[in-house]
Amino acid sequence: MTADALLDRHAVLDTVSNSPTTTARRTARILVVDDEAIVRFGLRQLFAPDPHVTVIGEAAAPRDALMIADRCPPDLVILDVALGRGDAAGVELARMLLERHRGVRVLVLTGCRDRDVMLRTVRLGVHGYVRKGADTADIVRAVHTLLRGESVFDTGGPTGSAVVDVLRDEDRPPVRGLGGAMLTERENQVLRLLAVGMSNREIGMRLVISEATVKFHVRNLRDKLDVRRRTEIVYTATRQGIV
């Protein structure tokens, strides 16, 4: 599966045909999630004149966002992963929205510069990642691009290369073990270094990635190999013929 296919696995905005020659699109529903009231107000005002979209609600916290989404499923969520409670709350909210509402598209609009947060969020399957501070025209363009079923990722700035790394990793063919586990190239690299007894810190230094990113891959390996402990990863992978 290519990176584009992976990132565009969610449904595209529905279209309704009124006649063989004309097509009418219903108004797209947008939910804004940001802990700053001024940002929520600004986004609502930005899209107020747009006849193709309507902001159906806004929320400052994950619980409120989920309640609104459950009551009136949005077509697109504009989400800041930094919600005042640490980045984990925003990343977890993105995961829950994507799992509970399979047709929703998620645009991360954030000032967060943490490379690992970007990695985790993009791997969840969000459809866009745009930095706060972007021109309003760029934000509007990103929203309409996502609603057309495409993806938008800002790869500039000090953390932009994280997105490139994720897309490059996902675009490579996975490695299949004899037991059927499908590993990305990066997961396979981490596994082989685990097999020679390297610590997370040592693996990070060897692969030039952060220790937190190594932990992310180790967790994925546990899930894919269906084991609970780090020590079981290499043993199980060996039995399956992966290493």
Side-chain angles (χ1 to χ4, degrees):
M1 178 181 291
T2 65
D4 286 340
L6 181 71
L7 294 168
D8 290 332
R9 58 178 161 223
H10 297 288
V12 189
L13 180 65
D14 295 333
T15 57
V16 181
S17 178
N18 291 330
S19 70
T21 58
T22 61
T23 300
R25 183 179 66 179
R26 66 174 173 80
T27 303
R29 300 183 298 266
I30 296 179
L31 169 62
V32 176
V33 186
D34 196 296
D35 64 344
E36 296 185 56
I38 188 65
V39 174
R40 299 195 305 273
F41 174 79
L43 289 171
R44 184 182 285 276
Q45 292 298 108
L46 179 62
F47 289 102
D50 193 327
H52 300 299
V53 301
T54 182
V55 177
I56 59 167
E58 58 183 65
R63 181 179 180 181
D64 295 335
L66 290 171
M67 288 178 61
I68 296 172
D70 289 344
R71 185 170 64 247
C72 184
D75 296 297
L76 183 142
V77 178
I78 302 177
L79 166 68
D80 186 353
V81 289
L83 291 176
R85 305 179 181 182
D87 299 319
V91 174
E92 178 65 10
L93 174 58
R95 182 190 67 79
M96 295 181 70
L97 286 167
L98 289 167
E99 287 184 356
R100 289 164 67 159
H101 301 280
R102 298 186 63 185
V104 73
R105 301 183 71 78
V106 176
L107 171 64
V108 175
L109 178 66
T110 186
C112 176
R113 294 173 176 269
D114 190 309
R115 177 185 174 90
D116 294 320
V117 171
M118 292 184 72
L119 284 165
R120 285 157 48 205
T121 309
V122 174
R123 284 192 183 280
L124 282 176
V126 300
H127 306 86
Y129 205 113
V130 177
R131 59 184 172 80
K132 280 185 176 176
D135 291 340
T136 55
D138 290 335
I139 296 173
V140 171
R141 189 178 303 112
V143 164
H144 284 283
T145 298
L146 263 64
L147 290 173
R148 289 198 303 269
E150 303 171 29
S151 301
V152 175
F153 290 95
D154 180 358
T155 56
T159 56
S161 60
V163 172
V164 178
D165 288 347
V166 171
L167 299 182
R168 185 184 297 119
D169 255 6
E170 297 297 343
D171 208 25
R172 288 169 177 153
V175 179
R176 183 188 293 275
L178 295 179
M182 299 294 291
L183 309 182
T184 66
E185 182 171 324
R186 181 67 83 190
E187 289 166 352
N188 192 50
Q189 290 171 344
V190 171
L191 175 59
R192 292 185 183 281
L193 295 178
L194 283 174
V196 297
M198 285 192 178
S199 66
N200 287 349
R201 182 172 180 274
E202 291 170 331
I203 293 172
M205 293 176 65
R206 174 68 66 86
L207 299 179
V208 197
I209 57 178
S210 73
E211 189 171 345
T213 301
V214 175
K215 291 179 180 178
F216 171 82
H217 291 304
V218 171
R219 185 169 63 249
N220 280 349
L221 286 169
R222 287 205 314 265
D223 292 343
K224 290 185 177 183
L225 296 172
D226 195 24
V227 298
R228 294 186 178 182
R229 301 182 186 87
R230 174 193 177 96
T231 53
E232 297 176 302
I233 292 175
V234 175
Y235 173 75
T236 303
T238 302
R239 292 198 62 180
Q240 293 189 10
I242 299 175
V243 293

